[in-house]
Amino acid sequence: MKIKILFFMFLISALILGACAPVEVEEPVVEEPVVEEPVVEEPVVEEPEVEEPEVEEPEVEEPVVEDPIADVVELRFMYYADGVEAEVMQPLLDAFMAQNEDIVVLLDVVPYSTVDEQLPVQVEAGQGPDLARITNFAAFRGLLLDLRALVSNPDYYQANFPAPVLNALGYGGFPDAYTVTGPFVNQTLFEQAGIDLPGDDATWEDWTDLTQAVAEATGTAYAIGIDRTGHRVAGPAMSMGATLIDANDDFTIDTEGFRAFVDLMKSWHDEGLMPEELWLTGDALNNCIDWFKTADMVMCMTGSWMIGGTAADVGDAFDWLVVPNPTGAGGSTGIAGGSAVVAFADTEHPEAVARLMEFLYAPENYAAFSAGTLALPAQVEVAQTGVDFDSDNPSVLAALSAFTAEVPKLQEQAVFLNVHPFAFAYYRNSASRIAQYLAGELTLDEMITNLQSDIDTAIAEAGD
Amino acid sequence: MNPILEFLTRKRGRKKLSFSDTLSYFYLFLGVLIMFGPIVWLIFSSFKSPIEIARFPPRFFPYTQETVLVEGYDEPLQLFEVTLEDGSEAVLAQVRRVGLEAQMVDPDNPDEIIRVNIADREPVERIRFNLDNYITGIRGFNFGRYLWNSIIVTVAATILTLLVNSMAAFALAKYKFPGRQTIFLTMIATLMVPLSVVLVPIFLVITRIGWNNNLLGIIVPVAATPTGVFLLRQYMLTIPNELMDAARIDGASEWRIYAQIILPLAKPALAVLTIFSVMWRWNDFLWPLIVLSRSEYFTLQVGLAAFQGEHMVQWNLILAMTVLTLLPITIVFAFLQRHITTGIATTGLK
Amino acid sequence: MAELSKTKKYESFFGSIGHAIVSGFDVFFGSIQKITGIKGIPYLFVLPNLLIFGIFILYPMILNFVYAFTGGRSFFPDQRTFVGTSNFERLFTCENFLLPNTCREDLFWRAVHNTVVFVIAQVILMILFSLITALILNRDIKWRGFFRSVYFYPCLLSPIVVGLIWQWILMDSGALNGILTGLGIGKQPFLVRANWARFWVIMVSVWAQMGFYTLILLAGLQSIPADLYEAASIDGANKWKAFSNITMPLLMPTMVVVIVLTLIRAVQVFEIIYAFTGGGPGTATLYLVQFIYNYGFASPNRQFGVAAAASLVMASVLIVLTLAQLAARREESY
């Protein structure tokens, strides 16, 4: 009996829910009704005459999308956040909407994996948002909106962002931050161990020995670590002499520098200088900063985007600083990177999108974003004027200028890597292949061969 | 050997706790610890600060450092237990830390700065169920909206699943018609193929229909589950056909036979399918993530995942919001646990 | 008393609404029955299910063939170029199928090996633990309802949550290592040694699902009439005899259901692992579904063709297994 009651309560509540659904207060714009129709009855009532069960016939009835109130345009902005980015972006959008009352921008904050994995397919299927914040510049080739014809100041736009990035994006957006990879060091641990920080000419081997000595002297669990991605590995490998990308833009994995650094990593891994989990545990626990923040690691090779989070979580528990990238046969270099705000070509409101883009890359707004997120600006004018970063923490300011000093030292291939069409094929595959090597599933030679073939296959598969 | 055998076979009866009884209770309570421990651990951790979460060895209870408002300082200061140079101990508030040295004050005597080596201080901590994670989480997380979507999806999909599958099961179990074997075998054949491996084509179909960013896109496609048809059909086979014949003589239509005779008798099997469906839909993750990209349609599981950035995972918020997503289904379970457990039990799943 | 009448009232309220709905449908179905006669009725009943099944399950599976025999990066089948069986050839280019490193798609074969081992071990352990627990709960136990609920509770958790919780407990600085350190045993490399990780992946999936199977087996045990045991003990059968001659045979039908269900879910395992080990260390816990997901969806350079080919290989093996099992059961029951 009770089951019956439950069943009917279910039914009733579904009907009530269905009836209530269109009551929407929080959004200014009327959107397509989705759930109102009592879903329950649909499959049964709408049945045509009895017929042969034809399965492949697509369904006919369709939620008709009514145009919203005529003169207000709604833009969807898919966004991912590593920290406070969304909270910094929202007021900017609010200001934009106040200026442009005919445009409403809705920020959809999604996990990074959605931007990375699902968005490309959604966009290709014509189901993408109007704008998005992305990191894989090459994933949307041919699908982005060329802003040059739409913004009022195309020359300013082209002059104020790095040309290789704009090219990679097909002029469909702009980089919202400039990032550089580089190591964070726990200064307090060095002081406690009574060991001096080395000079700028220190190599990765020197740092390995020093951090190991510091870890031993202070009883710290791990000496050194590097994030699990080919992006971070590339910098040290290039510093040790690797030519990852040659003059013809081809990837070459098998170079002495790459072998040397991966071997060094293997020794970190095998000797317990680096947490084994960092590289071995699939797609999680991949950031060395997690150990660094709790003072369980002396040196962490990551990048400029970690400044804000590190400062917030470390507090005054210890002093930390960013040191120049260690050097080697190839000379000290990090890797450039960054995220970008892009607009998609199949947007229904290109004009409105262009207005928003123009607003976001205007120097005062761009600077506000950089200041709030503690990110290095990729906008030339903003970089020249300087950003008044939203922090009075001396460690943060020191770290920001340390990373700024890394920018001019970047090798050409280190700048080009991130805008290479197959950069992500290299990043991801190298993460899993190097992990297999560290786990002992592959030898160094097998690892190099497999990684090269992974990238070649990806290029071949796309090269039609 | 014997006590083990005895406990394997014996039914009810004896009063005194034998060795095998003790063993049984030991096993069961150990089981409770293993089954529930991780969840309790999750709940306690959801009250911890990011740093406390990352601490090793982890502490079971959520501790926060005590703070105190000291005259002359705007912000509350953190309290430490300090071993002073003369060996005595005192509770001091920290003004700032410079390198290896901490500058501290006595809260009762705020004018005098005391310099302390940072190795000589221990934070004063207290167990506190700090709601910070929950508050920040809910602020950046449209909990009400996501909950609402999750409920709609779960309820609608469950009703649709029950209706559509029970109708098909009824036809497959109670009628002989050309094509019956083909239909049944096709469904059974797909029983083991996980949806995850045909994600791309299903997404294509959804796109063609236009159900992206539409809750229908995550309600309808999953409704015709072969498992459900299989389960219900097997159960309906056990219902005697004589009942149907008698009703037909009384002039009942086939629909009435289905709705008023077969369905009530198949209640246990329906209950099991209901539970399955509610669990599946409430916890669906991958598929909604692909179909829904606008936040007003997000379900709880999708919204939860948004705390994972490229470089940083906000564990403290994820934990707190996970606890919140567990709450509704736990409450439902608490109220219905008798039905659920006996429902599964009485189906016997023939 | 008051409560009782309240329930009654609700029941009659919902009952009448339910009645109205049933009658409404009846008008519709009745009129169709008049037109087609009883012959059309079964088709009418299977139609809604068949429509959804056809459009959202069968049709995509057929589309998968198109993907499997075409190449390129496009998502739309009509924009892909026909490549014949080259996607399958890629999967099956191998010097020695037992050594994944000698294969062109080494990850695929690693996933195959891992999946086979996982499925066998997981099904055995799942049955073992569920059976023991059910046997114990079937004894004269106090608080049976409580235990039943506690063992069932993890079944309610989403696979992602299960994966996250356990990753968190087992990681190097996790709770379990904390406890072990406290006991003086020291940290164990739970997630970074291939065999430890494989072990925990199995244990965690057993943890998450055994409650459900326990309930089913418990139901099977409780449906065995008690007088059978009494008769057996009068006949002087010992406990072991009673267990092997009464309990096991009578439990067999339930057991078959449990084996089939665990098998299905073991083969399909994905989300728990995705959140738990992510396939690591290295590729020690990379299973087939994750391989297909990675290739088809997650990798930066999607290869729908290979992913579709792999899923067809997987599906055909599964379908053969399912049908064989079905045939075997049919023989058994006659």
Side-chain angles (χ1 to χ4, degrees), chain A residues 22-203:
Chain A
V23 186
E24 283 193 341
V25 261
E26 22 164 348
E27 260 120 44
V29 180
V30 187
E31 22 161 283
E32 1 135 15
V34 182
V35 249
E36 304 150 81
E37 33 185 314
V39 192
V40 208
E41 304 170 6
E42 174 213 65
V44 185
V45 186
E46 283 175 17
E47 240 136 53
E49 303 297 319
V50 188
E51 48 176 29
E52 278 307 305
E54 240 308 288
V55 281
E56 266 144 69
E57 171 194 343
E59 224 145 273
V60 228
E61 32 85 47
E62 187 92 341
V64 183
V65 183
E66 290 289 335
D67 242 39
I69 307 170
D71 47 354
V72 172
V73 164
E74 181 188 290
L75 299 182
R76 309 297 306 217
F77 191 174
M78 187 185 272
Y79 211 75
Y80 79 90
D82 277 320
V84 296
E85 293 96 318
E87 284 99 89
V88 177
M89 180 51 81
Q90 189 61 55
L92 288 174
L93 295 179
D94 292 340
F96 174 75
M97 287 188 275
Q99 281 174 27
N100 300 271
E101 289 183 344
D102 56 335
I103 303 178
V104 170
V105 189
L106 293 175
L107 206 58
D108 293 309
V109 181
V110 298
Y112 176 69
S113 63
T114 303
V115 174
D116 190 40
E117 296 173 8
Q118 276 92 35
L119 183 63
V121 179
Q122 287 169 348
V123 171
E124 203 187 338
Q127 298 294 332
D130 301 292
L131 304 101
R133 180 180 194 224
I134 61 162
T135 54
N136 186 351
F137 298 161
F140 303 96
R141 250 176 314 157
L143 297 168
L144 299 181
L145 182 70
D146 191 333
L147 294 172
R148 286 172 296 182
L150 291 162
V151 293
S152 67
N153 51 358
D155 294 335
Y156 179 85
Y157 163 62
Q158 292 184 62
N160 278 282
F161 290 103
V165 179
L166 290 189
N167 251 323
L169 295 172
Y171 298 91
F174 64 90
D176 66 353
Y178 193 94
T179 64
V180 198
T181 60
F184 285 59
V185 172
N186 186 322
Q187 193 176 9
T188 304
L189 288 175
F190 265 88
E191 281 164 13
Q192 288 178 0
I195 295 175
D196 289 335
L197 286 167
D200 293 358
D201 55 349
T203 62

Side-chain angles (χ1 to χ4, degrees), chain B residues 306-320:
Chain B
F307 290 112
Q308 305 190 15
E310 181 190 12
H311 307 295
M312 259 182 261
V313 177
Q314 291 161 297
W315 279 110
N316 52 332
L317 303 186
I318 290 189
L319 292 176

Side-chain angles (χ1 to χ4, degrees), chain A residues 1-4 6-7 10-11 13-14 17 20-21 23-24 26-27 31-35 37 39-40 42-44 53 58-59 61-63 74 76 78 80-83 106-114 118 121-122 125-129 135 188 191-192 232 285 287 289-290 293-294 296 305-306 309-310 313-314 316-319 424 428, chain B residues 50-51 54-56 78 94 96-100 118 121 142 145-146 148-149 151-152 154-156 158-160 162-164 167 183 200 203 206-216 219-220 255 263 267 270-271 274 278 285-286 289-298 302-303 305-315 336 339 343:
Chain A
M1 272 305 117
K2 275 190 184 158
I3 296 250
K4 191 173 177 186
L6 282 170
F7 183 75
F10 240 36
L11 209 79
S13 51
L17 293 185
C20 297
V23 186
E24 283 193 341
E26 22 164 348
E27 260 120 44
E31 22 161 283
E32 1 135 15
V34 182
V35 249
E37 33 185 314
V39 192
V40 208
E42 174 213 65
V44 185
E59 224 145 273
E61 32 85 47
E62 187 92 341
E74 181 188 290
R76 309 297 306 217
M78 187 185 272
Y80 79 90
D82 277 320
L106 293 175
L107 206 58
D108 293 309
V109 181
V110 298
Y112 176 69
S113 63
T114 303
Q118 276 92 35
V121 179
Q122 287 169 348
Q127 298 294 332
T135 54
T188 304
E191 281 164 13
Q192 288 178 0
R232 253 65 99 210
L285 307 169
N287 294 302
I289 206 78
D290 294 336
K293 279 177 189 169
T294 52
D296 287 317
W305 55 89
M306 283 299 181
T310 307
D313 288 343
V314 170
D316 76 341
F318 59 84
D319 291 322
F424 274 65
R428 298 295 156 75
Chain B
I51 280 297
R55 183 191 170 95
F56 186 86
Q78 292 176 321
Q94 176 171 302
R96 67 180 71 81
R97 203 201 108 228
V98 182
L100 297 176
I118 57 165
R121 48 166 212 178
N142 196 344
R145 160 59 72 178
Y146 300 163
W148 183 246
N149 288 338
I151 291 175
I152 289 181
T154 308
V155 170
T158 302
I159 291 171
L160 192 63
L162 287 178
L163 189 69
V164 165
M167 283 170 66
I183 295 174
V200 173
F203 182 69
I206 291 283
T207 306
R208 290 266 157 88
I209 298 177
W211 277 354
N212 295 86
N213 280 314
N214 187 326
L215 292 186
L216 284 177
I219 292 172
V220 179
W255 168 261
L263 276 196
K267 248 172 6 196
L270 287 173
T274 310
V278 168
F285 172 68
L286 207 55
L289 206 58
I290 295 166
V291 178
L292 311 171
S293 57
R294 300 185 166 185
S295 51
E296 66 263 34
Y297 302 124
F298 280 2
V302 177
F307 290 112
Q308 305 190 15
E310 181 190 12
H311 307 295
M312 259 182 261
V313 177
Q314 291 161 297
W315 279 110
L336 300 185
H339 289 289

Side-chain angles (χ1 to χ4, degrees), chain B residues 45-176:
Chain B
S45 300
S46 72
F47 295 101
K48 294 177 180 172
S49 68
I51 280 297
E52 180 67 21
I53 282 175
R55 183 191 170 95
F56 186 86
R59 293 186 290 195
F60 189 68
F61 290 106
Y63 285 90
T64 30
Q65 189 165 8
E66 293 273 314
T67 55
V68 66
L69 262 178
V70 180
E71 213 178 306
Y73 299 93
D74 298 337
E75 299 286 316
L77 300 179
Q78 292 176 321
L79 277 180
F80 286 87
E81 198 155 292
V82 178
T83 315
L84 296 172
E85 277 167 18
D86 56 9
S88 67
E89 298 206 343
V91 174
L92 300 181
Q94 176 171 302
V95 179
R96 67 180 71 81
R97 203 201 108 228
V98 182
L100 297 176
E101 181 189 87
Q103 301 178 357
M104 312 193 107
V105 289
D106 189 336
D108 301 327
N109 180 16
D111 297 329
E112 185 197 349
I113 295 272
I114 307 166
R115 290 166 203 281
V116 180
N117 186 315
I118 57 165
D120 295 334
R121 48 166 212 178
E122 281 289 327
V124 178
E125 292 174 314
R126 196 172 56 136
I127 296 174
R128 236 179 67 201
F129 290 89
N130 198 332
L131 291 176
D132 283 355
N133 295 336
Y134 287 85
I135 294 165
T136 339
I138 288 177
R139 218 176 272 151
F141 185 81
N142 196 344
F143 188 75
R145 160 59 72 178
Y146 300 163
L147 177 69
W148 183 246
N149 288 338
S150 277
I151 291 175
I152 289 181
V153 169
T154 308
V155 170
T158 302
I159 291 171
L160 192 63
T161 305
L162 287 178
L163 189 69
V164 165
N165 288 344
S166 66
M167 283 170 66
F170 171 62
L172 292 172
K174 292 298 172 196
Y175 297 93
K176 285 206 159 41

